Amino acid sequence: NTTENQWTENVQNFSSLLCFFVSSQETTKTNKQDTMSYMLPHLTSGYAVDQAIVAEEERVVVIRFGHDWDPECMKMDEVLYAVADKTKNYAVYYVVDITEVPDFNKMYELYDPVTVMFFFRNKHMMVDLGTGNNNKINWALTDKEEFITLVECVYLGARKGKGLVISPKDYSTKYKY
């Protein structure tokens, strides 16, 4: 019984360490025009959003809510497009225009220029980023490796049945830099 508890503890510690593992540092050169949001799949109705969330059983569904023309969304879309291929085994990415699909604006309080949310097996995944809002990321993350690490953490936590995942980086001081 003691050995079983130690084994369980070691597995939990190993999983936690994986969250802090940063994926390979390789960078890819992309054509500037290839990084626009039109390269990401767009969901054009509330039904399409629901189906994207419900239908995916094995990967994290990452949805960027906002406007394609917004500069903050463009920054986030470039990151999403850049990491999509690297994370295709455990994450799928979609873009939703909140003017075209206003169904979720009140439900998810989509009032910011850019909002990124995570879902796994029809469940909203919350991420403690240190900002007080665990429901979503409401700014553009521009570091690709940082975003990959965050998605990996969400995936690992979701696979373990957790509804709230602790981010490997504390963003409570993001505006002080």
Side-chain angles (χ1 to χ4, degrees), residues 36-42 76-78 80-81 84 93-95:
M36 303 306 280
S37 69
Y38 64 82
M39 298 301 291
L40 296 166
H42 280 67
M76 192 70 228
D77 290 348
E78 287 185 26
L80 295 178
Y81 179 70
Y93 301 88
Y94 296 102
V95 174

Side-chain angles (χ1 to χ4, degrees), residues 2-137:
T2 305
T3 307
E4 185 177 302
N5 289 341
Q6 287 175 333
W7 184 82
T8 304
E9 201 172 308
N10 287 340
V11 168
Q12 289 173 341
N13 289 339
F14 179 71
S15 296
S16 297
L17 285 173
L18 279 177
C19 280
F20 293 101
F21 175 75
V22 177
S23 298
S24 67
Q25 295 296 320
E26 70 181 52
T27 57
T28 57
K29 293 182 180 178
T30 56
N31 212 345
K32 189 66 174 170
Q33 67 184 26
D34 290 344
T35 59
M36 303 306 280
S37 69
Y38 64 82
M39 298 301 291
L40 296 166
H42 280 67
L43 302 174
T44 57
S45 69
Y47 179 77
V49 174
D50 285 339
Q51 288 306 302
I53 293 168
V54 170
E56 187 58 57
E57 289 291 322
E58 297 302 317
R59 299 181 291 177
V60 172
V61 177
V62 182
I63 301 179
R64 191 275 291 151
F65 294 95
H67 300 286
D68 292 344
W69 49 262
D70 188 280
E72 288 297 302
C73 286
M74 288 181 195
K75 288 179 196 173
M76 192 70 228
D77 290 348
E78 287 185 26
V79 171
L80 295 178
Y81 179 70
V83 304
D85 193 51
K86 292 179 183 178
T87 61
K88 66 184 174 192
N89 292 332
Y90 53 91
V92 60
Y93 301 88
Y94 296 102
V95 174
V96 176
D97 188 305
I98 58 174
T99 302
E100 186 179 350
V101 185
D103 307 26
F104 303 97
N105 292 358
K106 285 187 181 174
M107 183 190 321
Y108 294 136
E109 299 177 356
L110 303 175
Y111 308 123
D112 300 298
V114 60
T115 301
V116 177
M117 297 181 75
F118 303 93
F119 301 89
F120 186 74
R121 294 187 179 155
N122 198 24
K123 183 179 177 187
H124 174 226
M125 292 297 301
M126 294 190 293
V127 183
D128 184 356
L129 301 158
T131 61
N133 184 355
N134 297 340
N135 295 313
K136 58 194 173 187
I137 299 172

